[in-house]
Coordinates of all heavy atoms in Angstrom, one line a residue:
C118 N -12.1 8.4 -13.2 CA -11.3 7.6 -14.1 C -9.9 7.5 -13.4 O -9.7 8.0 -12.3 CB -11.1 8.2 -15.5 SG -10.3 9.8 -15.5
A119 N -9.0 6.7 -14.0 CA -7.6 6.6 -13.5 C -6.6 6.7 -14.7 O -6.9 6.1 -15.7 CB -7.5 5.3 -12.7
V120 N -5.5 7.3 -14.4 CA -4.4 7.2 -15.3 C -3.3 6.3 -14.6 O -3.0 6.5 -13.5 CB -3.7 8.6 -15.6 CG1 -2.5 8.5 -16.4 CG2 -4.8 9.5 -16.2
V121 N -2.9 5.3 -15.4 CA -2.0 4.3 -14.8 C -0.7 4.3 -15.6 O -0.7 4.3 -16.8 CB -2.6 2.9 -14.9 CG1 -1.7 1.8 -14.4 CG2 -4.0 2.8 -14.3
Y122 N 0.4 4.3 -14.9 CA 1.7 4.2 -15.5 C 2.3 2.9 -15.1 O 2.4 2.6 -13.9 CB 2.7 5.4 -15.1 CG 4.0 5.2 -15.7 CD1 4.3 5.1 -17.0 CD2 5.2 5.1 -14.8 CE1 5.5 4.9 -17.6 CE2 6.4 4.9 -15.4 CZ 6.6 4.8 -16.7 OH 7.8 4.6 -17.2
E123 N 2.7 2.1 -16.0 CA 3.4 0.8 -15.8 C 4.8 0.9 -16.2 O 5.2 0.9 -17.3 CB 2.7 -0.3 -16.6 CG 1.4 -0.7 -16.1 CD 0.9 -2.0 -16.8 OE1 1.8 -2.9 -17.2 OE2 -0.3 -2.2 -16.9
P124 N 5.7 1.1 -15.2 CA 7.1 1.3 -15.4 C 7.8 0.2 -16.2 O 8.6 0.4 -17.1 CB 7.8 1.4 -14.1 CG 6.6 1.8 -13.1 CD 5.4 1.2 -13.7
K125 N 7.4 -1.1 -16.0 CA 8.1 -2.2 -16.7 C 7.8 -2.1 -18.2 O 8.6 -2.6 -19.0 CB 7.6 -3.5 -16.1 CG 8.2 -3.7 -14.7 CD 7.8 -5.1 -14.1 CE 8.4 -5.2 -12.8 NZ 8.0 -6.5 -12.2
K126 N 6.6 -1.7 -18.6 CA 6.3 -1.6 -20.0 C 6.6 -0.2 -20.5 O 6.5 0.0 -21.7 CB 4.8 -1.8 -20.2 CG 4.4 -3.3 -19.9 CD 2.9 -3.5 -20.1 CE 2.5 -4.9 -19.9 NZ 1.1 -5.1 -20.2
G127 N 6.8 0.8 -19.7 CA 7.0 2.2 -20.1 C 5.8 2.7 -20.8 O 5.8 3.6 -21.7
A128 N 4.6 2.3 -20.3 CA 3.3 2.7 -20.9 C 2.4 3.3 -19.9 O 2.4 3.0 -18.7 CB 2.7 1.5 -21.6
F129 N 1.5 4.2 -20.5 CA 0.5 4.9 -19.7 C -0.9 4.5 -20.2 O -1.0 4.3 -21.5 CB 0.6 6.4 -19.9 CG 1.8 7.0 -19.2 CD1 3.0 7.1 -19.9 CD2 1.7 7.6 -18.0 CE1 4.1 7.7 -19.3 CE2 2.8 8.2 -17.4 CZ 4.0 8.3 -18.1
Y130 N -1.9 4.3 -19.3 CA -3.2 3.9 -19.7 C -4.2 4.8 -19.1 O -4.0 5.3 -18.0 CB -3.4 2.4 -19.3 CG -2.4 1.5 -19.9 CD1 -1.3 1.1 -19.2 CD2 -2.6 0.9 -21.1 CE1 -0.4 0.3 -19.7 CE2 -1.7 0.1 -21.7 CZ -0.5 -0.3 -20.9 OH 0.4 -1.1 -21.5
L131 N -5.4 4.9 -19.7 CA -6.5 5.6 -19.2 C -7.6 4.6 -19.0 O -8.0 3.9 -19.9 CB -7.0 6.7 -20.2 CG -8.3 7.5 -19.7 CD1 -8.0 8.2 -18.4 CD2 -8.7 8.4 -20.9
M132 N -8.1 4.5 -17.7 CA -9.2 3.6 -17.4 C -10.4 4.4 -16.9 O -10.3 5.2 -15.9 CB -8.7 2.7 -16.2 CG -7.5 1.9 -16.5 SD -6.9 1.0 -15.1 CE -8.3 -0.1 -14.8
P133 N -11.6 4.2 -17.5 CA -12.8 4.9 -17.1 C -13.3 4.3 -15.8 O -13.1 3.1 -15.5 CB -13.8 4.7 -18.3 CG -13.3 3.4 -18.8 CD -11.8 3.4 -18.7
G134 N -14.0 5.2 -15.0 CA -14.6 4.6 -13.8 C -16.0 4.1 -14.2 O -16.5 4.3 -15.2
K135 N -16.6 3.3 -13.2 CA -17.9 2.7 -13.4 C -18.9 3.8 -13.4 O -18.9 4.6 -12.5 CB -18.2 1.7 -12.4 CG -17.3 0.5 -12.6 CD -17.6 -0.6 -11.6 CE -16.7 -1.8 -11.9 NZ -17.0 -2.9 -11.0
G136 N -19.8 3.9 -14.4 CA -20.9 4.8 -14.4 C -20.5 6.3 -14.7 O -21.3 7.2 -14.4
T137 N -19.3 6.5 -15.3 CA -18.9 7.8 -15.6 C -18.6 7.9 -17.1 O -18.5 6.9 -17.8 CB -17.6 8.2 -14.9 OG1 -16.5 7.3 -15.3 CG2 -17.7 8.0 -13.4
V138 N -18.6 9.1 -17.6 CA -18.2 9.4 -19.0 C -16.8 10.0 -19.0 O -16.6 11.0 -18.4 CB -19.2 10.4 -19.6 CG1 -18.8 10.7 -21.0 CG2 -20.6 9.8 -19.6
T139 N -15.9 9.3 -19.7 CA -14.5 9.7 -19.8 C -14.3 9.8 -21.3 O -14.5 8.8 -22.0 CB -13.6 8.8 -19.1 OG1 -13.9 8.7 -17.7 CG2 -12.1 9.2 -19.3
L140 N -13.8 10.9 -21.8 CA -13.5 11.1 -23.2 C -12.0 11.0 -23.4 O -11.2 11.6 -22.7 CB -14.0 12.4 -23.7 CG -15.5 12.6 -23.5 CD1 -15.9 14.0 -24.0 CD2 -16.3 11.6 -24.3
L141 N -11.6 10.4 -24.5 CA -10.2 10.4 -25.0 C -10.2 10.9 -26.4 O -10.8 10.3 -27.3 CB -9.6 9.0 -24.9 CG -8.1 8.8 -25.4 CD1 -7.2 9.7 -24.6 CD2 -7.7 7.4 -25.3
N142 N -9.6 12.1 -26.6 CA -9.6 12.7 -27.9 C -11.0 12.8 -28.5 O -11.3 12.5 -29.6 CB -8.7 12.0 -28.9 CG -7.2 12.0 -28.3 OD1 -6.8 13.0 -27.8 ND2 -6.6 10.9 -28.5
E143 N -12.0 13.3 -27.6 CA -13.3 13.6 -28.0 C -14.2 12.3 -28.2 O -15.3 12.4 -28.7 CB -13.4 14.5 -29.1 CG -12.8 15.9 -28.8 CD -12.8 16.8 -30.0 OE1 -13.7 16.7 -30.9 OE2 -12.0 17.8 -30.0
R144 N -13.6 11.1 -27.9 CA -14.3 9.9 -28.1 C -14.6 9.2 -26.7 O -13.6 9.1 -25.9 CB -13.5 9.0 -29.0 CG -14.1 7.6 -29.2 CD -13.1 6.8 -30.1 NE -11.8 6.7 -29.6 CZ -11.4 5.8 -28.7 NH1 -12.2 4.9 -28.2 NH2 -10.1 5.7 -28.4
R145 N -15.8 8.8 -26.4 CA -16.1 8.1 -25.2 C -15.4 6.8 -25.1 O -15.5 6.0 -26.1 CB -17.6 8.0 -25.0 CG -17.9 7.3 -23.7 CD -19.4 7.2 -23.5 NE -19.7 6.6 -22.2 CZ -20.8 6.6 -21.6 NH1 -21.9 7.3 -22.2 NH2 -21.0 6.1 -20.5
I146 N -14.7 6.5 -24.0 CA -14.1 5.2 -23.9 C -14.9 4.3 -23.0 O -15.5 4.7 -22.0 CB -12.6 5.3 -23.5 CG1 -12.5 5.9 -22.0 CG2 -11.8 6.1 -24.4 CD1 -11.1 5.8 -21.5
E147 N -14.9 3.0 -23.3 CA -15.6 2.0 -22.5 C -14.7 1.1 -21.7 O -15.1 0.5 -20.8 CB -16.5 1.1 -23.4 CG -17.5 1.9 -24.2 CD -18.6 2.6 -23.4 OE1 -18.9 2.0 -22.3 OE2 -19.1 3.6 -23.7
G148 N -13.4 1.1 -22.1 CA -12.5 0.2 -21.4 C -11.1 0.9 -21.4 O -11.0 2.1 -21.8
T149 N -10.1 0.2 -21.0 CA -8.7 0.7 -20.8 C -8.2 1.1 -22.2 O -8.3 0.2 -23.1 CB -7.8 -0.2 -20.1 OG1 -8.4 -0.5 -18.8 CG2 -6.4 0.3 -19.9
E150 N -7.5 2.2 -22.3 CA -6.9 2.7 -23.5 C -5.5 3.2 -23.3 O -5.2 3.8 -22.2 CB -7.7 3.9 -24.1 CG -9.1 3.6 -24.5 CD -9.3 3.3 -25.9 OE1 -8.4 3.4 -26.7 OE2 -10.5 2.9 -26.2
E151 N -4.6 2.8 -24.2 CA -3.2 3.3 -24.0 C -3.2 4.8 -24.4 O -3.8 5.2 -25.3 CB -2.2 2.5 -24.8 CG -0.8 2.9 -24.5 CD 0.2 1.8 -25.0 OE1 -0.2 0.8 -25.5 OE2 1.4 2.1 -24.9
L152 N -2.4 5.6 -23.6 CA -2.2 7.0 -23.8 C -1.0 7.3 -24.6 O 0.0 6.6 -24.5 CB -2.2 7.8 -22.5 CG -3.5 7.9 -21.7 CD1 -3.2 8.4 -20.3 CD2 -4.5 8.7 -22.4
E153 N -1.1 8.4 -25.5 CA 0.1 8.8 -26.2 C 0.2 10.3 -25.9 O -0.7 11.0 -25.6 CB -0.2 8.6 -27.7 CG -0.2 7.2 -28.1 CD -0.4 7.0 -29.6 OE1 -0.2 7.9 -30.3 OE2 -0.8 5.9 -30.0
E154 N 1.4 10.8 -26.1 CA 1.7 12.2 -25.8 C 0.7 13.1 -26.5 O 0.4 13.0 -27.7 CB 3.1 12.6 -26.2 CG 3.5 14.0 -25.9 CD 5.0 14.3 -26.1 OE1 5.8 13.4 -26.4 OE2 5.3 15.4 -25.8
G155 N 0.2 14.1 -25.8 CA -0.8 15.1 -26.4 C -2.2 14.6 -26.4 O -3.1 15.4 -26.8
D156 N -2.5 13.4 -25.9 CA -3.9 13.0 -25.9 C -4.7 13.9 -25.0 O -4.2 14.4 -24.0 CB -4.0 11.6 -25.3 CG -3.8 10.5 -26.4 OD1 -3.8 10.8 -27.6 OD2 -3.6 9.3 -26.0
R157 N -6.0 14.1 -25.3 CA -6.9 15.0 -24.6 C -7.9 14.1 -23.8 O -8.6 13.3 -24.4 CB -7.6 16.0 -25.5 CG -6.6 16.9 -26.3 CD -7.2 17.7 -27.3 NE -8.2 17.0 -28.2 CZ -7.9 16.3 -29.2 NH1 -6.6 16.0 -29.6 NH2 -8.8 15.7 -30.0
I158 N -7.9 14.4 -22.5 CA -8.8 13.6 -21.6 C -9.9 14.5 -21.2 O -9.7 15.5 -20.5 CB -8.0 13.0 -20.5 CG1 -6.9 12.1 -21.0 CG2 -9.0 12.3 -19.5 CD1 -5.9 11.7 -19.9
G159 N -11.2 14.2 -21.5 CA -12.3 15.0 -21.1 C -13.0 14.3 -19.9 O -13.4 13.1 -20.0
V160 N -13.1 15.0 -18.8 CA -13.8 14.5 -17.6 C -14.7 15.7 -17.1 O -14.1 16.8 -16.8 CB -12.9 14.0 -16.5 CG1 -12.2 12.7 -16.9 CG2 -11.8 15.0 -16.1
G161 N -16.0 15.5 -17.0 CA -16.8 16.6 -16.5 C -16.7 17.8 -17.5 O -16.7 17.6 -18.7
E162 N -16.5 19.0 -16.9 CA -16.3 20.2 -17.7 C -14.8 20.5 -18.0 O -14.5 21.5 -18.5 CB -17.0 21.4 -17.0 CG -18.4 21.2 -16.7 CD -19.2 21.2 -18.0 OE1 -18.9 22.0 -19.0 OE2 -20.2 20.5 -18.1

Side-chain angles (χ1 to χ4, degrees):
C118 63
V120 175
V121 180
Y122 175 60
E123 287 192 29
K125 290 182 181 178
K126 293 182 178 180
F129 292 83
Y130 301 94
L131 178 62
M132 300 174 63
K135 292 183 180 181
T137 66
V138 174
T139 301
L140 304 176
L141 178 59
N142 299 321
E143 301 179 20
R144 179 181 54 84
R145 183 179 179 160
I146 62 170
E147 301 294 329
T149 302
E150 300 262 350
E151 188 163 355
L152 289 171
E153 295 182 13
E154 185 170 356
D156 277 346
R157 297 172 318 280
I158 300 168
V160 290
E162 299 295 322

